[in-house]
Amino acid sequence: MAAPLVLVLLVAVTVRAVLYRSSLAGLISERVEVASPLNAWKRVVEGLALLDLGVSPYSGDVFHETPLVIYLFHFLIDYAELVFMITDMLTAVALYLAVQDYNKVLFKKQKLLIELDKYAPDVAELIRTPMEMHYIPLKVALFYLLNPYTVMSCVAKSTCAINNTVIAFFILATIKGSAFLSAVFLALATYQSLYPLTLFAPALLYLLQRQFIPVKMKNKDFWLYTVQYAGLYLGSLLVIVCLSFFLLNSWDFIPSVYGFILSVPDLTPNVGLFWYFFAEMFEHFSLFFVCVFQINVFFYTIPLAVKLKEHPVFFMFVQLAIISIFKSYPTVGDIALYMAFLPLWSHLYRFLRNIFILSCVLIVCSLLFPVLWHLWIYAGSANSNFYYAITLTFNVGQILLISDYFYAFLQREYYLTHGLYLTRKDGTEAMLVLK
């Protein structure tokens, strides 16, 4: 499998290198779907210019990236294109290794459940085989590297690519069972964009599974391990934040980065749900609705943790999707990360109800984004309602896609334990309805 992965990496590097040297690079970097006020390369360059002049990059309202990122590019500004290509390659390799390890764990668990007669006798066609799972890690790497969303983010030099790399290494460390590295990378991801805080729950559940510690409120081992992991996470986060303070000798980055993410003051159009809503709202209502919108990302974590406590990796996938949909400044690079995991759930295709329609919706919306932007900004024959309508359709499509996968996953799990062919008491065929 190493040779196909190397081939995919070479193709991905070639595509990016060609686009960097083309006239499309400047056009892509200006797209609001690819770059946001948080991660646009133009803003990083302006922040670096202020830093070189001895002025704090956070003194104005231009730069909103973290101090570690600006100091990284302070030394590597001349090799920025190479840095972004390497981050994409590292993300793909980390996802490849993570999925490879997860498939091994999943196959062992499946084999054990079969030996213990936990599955119904008529579900042989739902059992996953090694041959079926063999190419999934390569497909995940392929889906990430050659996804147009990922390619555009890399060519635009959006720092979203760095966030994705950190999250990919967090997933790899978690699946490998390293609590320390998992906590460190989760702290880095939280430091970068705040919302990965919600990935704490699926990571903890997976690590508890690896340690064979049952998730029970009265279990002392459960609480001890939870406190240890939380301590590692909070300690790592504190060290990273303090390191940022020592680099800048100022706490200005906290309101400029995290205050900016939470308060949403910049209403530049993007693929998210915030900008249009708050542009049309009266100022004295905005605080309440900002809180309501921000709670969306965190609200689903507890019910999902209860429902999917036995399936933390699927929980992590759903949570990544929720972050990319409901965060305040999303870009297509965020969407590319969770979409890379779709091949991992290829065994759910038979249970998906609307996959073709939803795929068409997402593709058509992606094509219409630049069209409606041109009609609004350049031609003047449309207005912001047109662009927000396609943004809303795009996000509804994502929500329905994730809901479809969620119900398909639950349906398969139910069939595995209760049998594929359900019957009523009178012997007639029954239909499964999930509520």
Side-chain angles (χ1 to χ4, degrees):
M1 287 296 285
L5 179 62
V6 171
L7 180 62
V8 170
L9 292 172
L10 287 173
V11 171
V13 168
T14 304
V15 169
R16 285 159 172 76
V18 169
L19 285 172
Y20 273 131
R21 295 293 171 263
S22 73
S23 58
L24 289 172
L27 180 66
I28 292 170
S29 64
E30 296 294 328
R31 296 301 314 161
V32 292
E33 300 88 6
V34 181
S36 76
L38 270 177
N39 55 35
W41 177 246
K42 187 182 289 185
R43 294 189 178 232
V44 174
V45 172
E46 290 184 22
L48 285 167
L50 289 172
L51 191 66
D52 289 338
L53 291 169
V55 179
S56 170
Y58 302 104
S59 57
D61 192 34
V62 174
F63 183 72
H64 302 287
E65 255 296 353
T66 55
L68 291 187
V69 166
I70 196 170
Y71 273 93
L72 170 70
F73 286 109
H74 184 66
F75 298 106
L76 299 174
I77 185 67
D78 295 330
Y79 309 100
E81 293 175 2
L82 187 61
V83 169
F84 282 102
M85 283 197 284
I86 289 171
T87 54
D88 269 7
M89 301 309 117
L90 288 174
T91 304
V93 171
L95 292 176
Y96 176 91
L97 295 173
V99 171
Q100 196 174 52
D101 265 43
Y102 174 66
N103 279 344
K104 289 175 185 176
V105 171
L106 195 66
F107 188 71
K108 287 178 183 176
K109 182 181 177 182
Q110 180 181 267
K111 188 177 178 182
L112 179 64
L113 290 171
I114 292 170
E115 290 172 356
L116 295 173
D117 290 327
K118 296 290 185 181
Y119 289 156
D122 62 343
V123 294
E125 59 191 280
L126 298 183
I127 302 299
R128 304 184 71 187
T129 62
M131 185 60 70
E132 177 194 333
M133 299 162 77
H134 184 67
Y135 289 102
I136 288 175
L138 184 64
K139 288 176 183 176
V140 168
L142 186 69
F143 260 57
Y144 183 77
L145 283 175
L146 299 183
N147 187 330
Y149 293 161
T150 316
V151 175
M152 286 193 295
S153 288
C154 182
V155 173
K157 292 183 276 194
S158 166
T159 55
C160 173
I162 296 171
N163 298 350
N164 287 352
T165 304
V166 174
I167 292 172
F169 274 96
F170 152 71
I171 293 169
L172 176 60
T174 303
I175 290 176
K176 289 280 187 184
S178 172
F180 175 71
L181 288 177
S182 172
V184 169
F185 282 115
L186 180 58
L188 263 174
T190 307
Y191 165 80
Q192 276 297 110
S193 57
L194 198 63
Y195 295 108
L197 167 66
T198 58
L199 298 174
F200 179 89
L204 177 63
L205 289 170
Y206 187 86
L207 291 168
L208 287 166
Q209 268 190 11
R210 290 276 302 211
Q211 298 295 321
F212 304 102
I213 299 172
V215 182
K216 293 180 179 177
M217 295 297 117
K218 294 181 180 180
N219 188 345
K220 289 182 180 178
D221 291 336
F222 164 73
W223 286 110
L224 180 63
Y225 196 87
T226 301
V227 169
Q228 286 176 347
Y229 186 66
L232 285 170
Y233 167 66
L234 293 173
S236 302
L237 189 59
L238 183 63
V239 168
I240 295 166
V241 170
C242 288
L243 177 61
S244 299
F245 170 75
F246 289 125
L247 286 172
L248 287 173
N249 200 27
S250 167
W251 294 109
D252 289 347
F253 70 94
I254 290 179
S256 291
V257 179
Y258 309 115
F260 186 80
I261 291 171
L262 292 173
S263 62
V264 202
D266 192 320
L267 301 178
T268 304
N270 54 55
V271 293
L273 299 168
F274 282 72
W275 66 274
Y276 183 85
F277 193 84
F278 290 102
E280 299 294 326
M281 184 179 291
F282 291 115
E283 187 65 32
H284 56 277
F285 289 124
S286 62
L287 179 60
F288 171 74
F289 281 100
V290 161
C291 295
V292 171
F293 271 59
Q294 295 287 10
I295 284 168
N296 261 304
V297 180
F298 305 95
F299 179 76
Y300 304 103
T301 306
I302 294 174
L304 284 171
V306 173
K307 189 67 180 175
L308 297 172
K309 68 177 182 180
E310 299 297 329
H311 312 284
V313 175
F314 187 76
F315 177 18
M316 199 177 291
F317 160 72
V318 174
Q319 199 63 54
L320 282 171
I322 289 170
I323 290 170
S324 69
I325 295 167
F326 292 110
K327 68 189 296 187
S328 51
Y329 294 103
T331 61
V332 292
D334 300 300
I335 298 163
L337 183 61
Y338 85 79
M339 282 192 170
F341 284 94
L342 294 182
L344 184 57
W345 318 115
S346 57
H347 57 288
L348 301 177
Y349 286 170
R350 64 180 290 172
F351 301 111
L352 295 173
R353 296 166 294 180
N354 306 307
I355 185 66
F356 176 72
I357 296 170
L358 293 172
S359 299
C360 290
V361 166
L362 295 178
I363 292 167
V364 170
C365 287
S366 299
L367 295 174
L368 284 176
F369 275 130
V371 174
L372 293 177
W373 180 263
H374 179 83
L375 290 175
W376 174 25
I377 300 298
Y378 298 103
S381 56
N383 56 39
S384 59
N385 295 326
F386 286 72
Y387 191 78
Y388 189 66
I390 207 67
T391 300
L392 201 58
T393 306
F394 185 67
N395 283 292
V396 168
Q398 288 187 82
I399 292 166
L400 292 175
L401 179 71
I402 298 306
S403 301
D404 209 4
Y405 269 93
F406 182 69
Y407 282 114
F409 186 86
L410 296 180
Q411 196 173 353
R412 180 179 177 272
E413 290 301 314
Y414 186 88
Y415 281 137
L416 283 172
T417 52
H418 294 84
L420 193 57
Y421 304 101
L422 304 174
T423 56
R424 295 190 179 94
K425 290 181 180 179
D426 59 1
T428 58
E429 187 179 348
M431 181 182 290
L432 179 63
V433 179
L434 295 172
K435 293 185 178 179

